[in-house]
């Protein structure tokens, strides 16, 4: 299906995860929303620094039952596929050394909000992650040069996230495991 990228039109019936698998490994971040191919611009240095530092900080507190990684695909369905900036999965799932996870293997999905992905990270992804049953979602806000982490827990009956905290100094949460994280630890250096 790589020919579809050279055309102005998507494949007949829309993009699927099979089409994603057929695309070259060229470092582009491709996600699917109901058969529509989403391609994000390259993240900024600030975005990547936050994601890297957050992953390292979570890894330091992560119990053996879980694994922390960055930028690995979560295949929600045949026509929905997203790549969280940071994610916590089960250790059993990580032991497979996967290039993608199923939603039931993901414990926490984290998105660092960028100007070009505000609506996706604040509205779309949390709605679809909750529907997929991912127990926890964090959103890292970076507006005004300050960091805020907003934490959520899924209401599995209604398939929506409920906000559990807004953190500007420390994330002090017991979910999905005990976390006491200083926001300054993940804040990029000023240049």
């Amino acid at each position: 299906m790589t020919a579809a990228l050279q055309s102005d039109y998507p494949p007949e019936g829309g993009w699927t995860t099979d089409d994603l698998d057929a695309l070259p490994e060229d470092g582009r971040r491709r996600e699917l929303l109901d058969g529509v191919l989403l391609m994000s611009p390259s993240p900024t240095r600030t975005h990547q620094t936050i994601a890297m530092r957050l992953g390292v900080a979570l890894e330091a507190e992560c119990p053996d039952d879980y694994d922390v990684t960055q930028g690995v695909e979560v295949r929600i369905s045949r026509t929905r596929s997203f790549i969280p900036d940071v994610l916590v999965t089960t250790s059993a799932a990580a032991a497979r050394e996967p290039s993608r996870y199923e939603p039931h293997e993901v414990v926490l999905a984290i998105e660092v909000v960028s100007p070009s992905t505000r609506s996706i990270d604040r509205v779309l992804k949390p709605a679809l992650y909750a529907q997929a049953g991912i127990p926890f979602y964090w959103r890292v806000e970076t507006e005004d040069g300050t960091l805020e982490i907003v934490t959520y827990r899924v209401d599995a009956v209604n398939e929506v996230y409920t906000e559990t905290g807004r953190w500007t100094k420390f994330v002090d949460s017991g979910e999905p495991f005990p976390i006491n994280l200083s926001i300054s630890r993940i804040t990029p250096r000023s240049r």
Side-chain angles (χ1 to χ4, degrees), residues 17-64:
T17 53
D18 292 338
D19 297 320
L20 283 183
D21 291 342
L23 294 173
E25 290 291 330
D26 57 9
R28 292 191 172 128
R29 187 177 191 128
R30 296 180 179 100
E31 298 176 300
L32 281 181
L33 172 62
D34 298 334
V36 175
L37 183 65
L38 305 175
M39 291 180 57
S40 301
S42 293
T44 65
R45 172 200 154 276
T46 298
H47 179 281
Q48 292 301 85
T49 300
I50 292 167
M52 174 189 66
R53 289 181 176 191
L54 182 55
V56 168
L58 288 173
E59 180 67 26
E61 298 187 31
C62 185
D64 291 342

Side-chain angles (χ1 to χ4, degrees), residues 61-79:
E61 298 187 31
C62 185
D64 291 342
D65 301 9
Y66 300 113
D67 185 73
V68 179
T69 192
Q70 288 182 264
V72 179
E73 177 185 1
V74 178
R75 240 183 222 173
I76 294 173
S77 71
R78 193 163 190 277
T79 59

Side-chain angles (χ1 to χ4, degrees), residues 83-166:
I83 303 171
D85 293 315
V86 179
L87 59 160
V88 176
T89 66
T90 64
S91 295
R96 293 187 294 108
E97 290 295 326
S99 61
R100 70 182 69 87
Y101 288 102
E102 298 296 321
H104 71 274
E105 298 173 314
V106 179
V107 179
L108 168 64
I110 303 172
E111 297 291 351
V112 178
V113 177
S114 298
S116 62
T117 62
R118 268 188 227 120
S119 296
I120 292 170
D121 294 337
R122 291 177 182 161
V123 180
L124 179 69
K125 284 187 177 181
L128 298 178
Y129 289 154
Q131 285 178 2
I134 296 173
F136 301 98
Y137 178 72
W138 290 9
R139 190 180 77 232
V140 181
E141 293 286 346
T142 60
E143 285 185 2
D144 305 324
T146 60
L147 291 185
E148 177 182 56
I149 296 180
V150 186
T151 57
Y152 300 87
R153 177 188 318 114
V154 76
D155 170 347
V157 173
N158 295 309
E159 297 181 328
V160 296
Y161 284 117
T162 302
E163 186 176 311
T164 58
R166 288 182 174 261

